[in-house]
Amino acid sequence: MGSRISRRQALRLGGGALAGVAVAGAVGESAVAAGEWVRLPVITANIGRKNLGARDAAIQAVRNGDGTRPFVGWQEISEGDTGEPAMIAQHFGPSYNNLFLNDPSSFRVPISVPAPWTVVNYNSVFVHGVVPGESPPRWINEVAVQYGTNSALKFVLINTHYMHDAYNGTQNPNLRQYWDLHKKTHRERVMNYHDRGTAVIWTADTNNPNYDQATGQPNEGKVFGSGIDRIDWLPGDGTVQLELLNSKIIPLNVDSHDAHEAIFRIRLA
């Protein structure tokens, strides 16, 4: 991707910076007139651990999930084994900016951003540390993107992975303080951008089949109403219009997770 930026160059999302700051040298593939719709596929993909030999094919299936290059929020990357960063880098190559893939802390939940979308800000938010015998550290990763050089056509994508066994699996009540903290932090991060007027899409393995919404806002849309793999969205101030067109499931054949895809369209209102 022609405008890949370093962490030093990026403005931090969590401070006073607004999502949508222009980046010098951004790809100029995007002179979108007001009212022109842009197809926007978004996938949430947990690459599991059971059938490790199937991971490469699963990652390739995610890449081919739509004819338009999809955004991807990944979960469980490099969690106890190796190989997935190289597989993602191979299949999500020069036309992608694969953020957080080699981050020393939040690498388990990277985000793949396709051209002609350009990353203008990104941020990692710590949720909680290691829970011995139960969970690695949990993080929320965020990217603000604009369509090429068009700083007005923008949104924020948030990706995360909640801990297991609090509200599924063994349903251990002692773990719920960590899951509940994650939900609280998730809500704060989505509302951080919504309150600034920016549209937000979030992807997650929620590890709760009864998950409702991150924010509880009446206009938070749910692409999938059941299961633990979710994609939701929350509109901003109306400057950018986001509509859901369709959704589908992409079989991964690694463990019980399949990738979930939402096909949106987006435009300047």
Side-chain angles (χ1 to χ4, degrees):
M1 183 171 178
S3 62
R4 191 178 185 92
I5 59 177
S6 71
R7 182 172 293 271
R8 288 186 179 181
Q9 291 170 317
L11 295 174
R12 302 297 287 177
L13 283 169
L18 290 176
V21 179
V23 177
V27 269
E29 190 183 323
S30 60
V32 178
E36 182 178 344
W37 288 106
V38 174
R39 185 178 177 87
L40 178 61
V42 178
I43 298 175
T44 187
N46 183 310
I47 304 299
R49 316 261 64 83
K50 288 186 178 179
N51 183 6
L52 298 183
R55 292 174 301 163
D56 187 80
I59 290 168
Q60 189 169 6
V62 172
R63 172 62 181 83
N64 296 329
D66 193 78
T68 299
R69 288 185 290 262
F71 282 79
V72 184
W74 304 92
Q75 301 93 37
E76 214 163 304
I77 300 303
S78 298
E79 194 162 306
D81 51 48
T82 60
E84 287 133 349
M87 296 173 194
I88 292 173
Q90 177 185 355
H91 297 301
F92 291 75
S95 295
Y96 272 85
N97 193 343
N98 296 305
L99 288 97
F100 314 104
L101 196 59
N102 298 303
D103 188 279
S105 300
S106 67
F107 58 86
R108 293 177 177 86
V109 284
I111 298 173
S112 293
V113 176
W117 293 92
T118 59
V119 176
V120 294
N121 287 312
Y122 62 94
N123 189 40
S124 294
V125 176
F126 177 71
V127 179
H128 65 75
V130 173
V131 181
E134 298 289 350
S135 174
R138 299 290 172 174
W139 291 78
I140 296 172
N141 282 337
E142 310 169 345
V143 294
V145 298
Q146 67 185 33
Y147 195 68
T149 57
N150 191 338
S151 62
L153 186 55
K154 63 187 179 182
F155 70 95
V156 169
L157 180 63
I158 294 176
N159 180 47
T160 194
H161 184 184
Y162 289 65
M163 76 180 307
H164 191 265
D165 283 338
Y167 291 99
N168 64 352
T170 63
Q171 300 198 35
N172 183 346
N174 295 323
L175 300 178
R176 292 181 179 176
Q177 60 179 311
Y178 303 102
W179 194 100
D180 293 348
L181 173 61
H182 202 145
K183 177 71 178 295
K184 177 179 181 291
T185 309
H186 191 181
R187 181 187 189 281
E188 290 170 352
R189 298 315 301 164
V190 176
M191 292 303 297
N192 175 60
Y193 303 108
H194 172 73
D195 288 345
R196 299 179 189 186
T198 302
V200 180
I201 301 172
W202 64 259
T203 55
D205 173 356
T206 66
N207 271 319
N208 185 343
N210 298 314
Y211 197 103
D212 186 23
Q213 298 174 320
T215 65
Q217 297 295 304
N219 56 343
E220 180 177 342
K222 296 191 294 185
V223 180
F224 300 96
S226 61
I228 63 176
D229 298 291
R230 299 296 184 97
I231 303 173
D232 280 27
W233 78 100
L234 189 61
D237 60 8
T239 302
V240 171
Q241 187 176 0
L242 185 65
E243 291 185 0
L244 178 66
L245 299 178
N246 205 350
S247 64
K248 69 177 183 179
I249 306 296
I250 303 170
L252 298 183
N253 303 310
V254 179
D255 62 6
S256 59
H257 287 275
D258 289 323
H260 288 57
E261 179 171 6
I263 300 162
F264 296 98
R265 63 178 184 175
I266 191 170
R267 70 175 179 180
L268 293 175

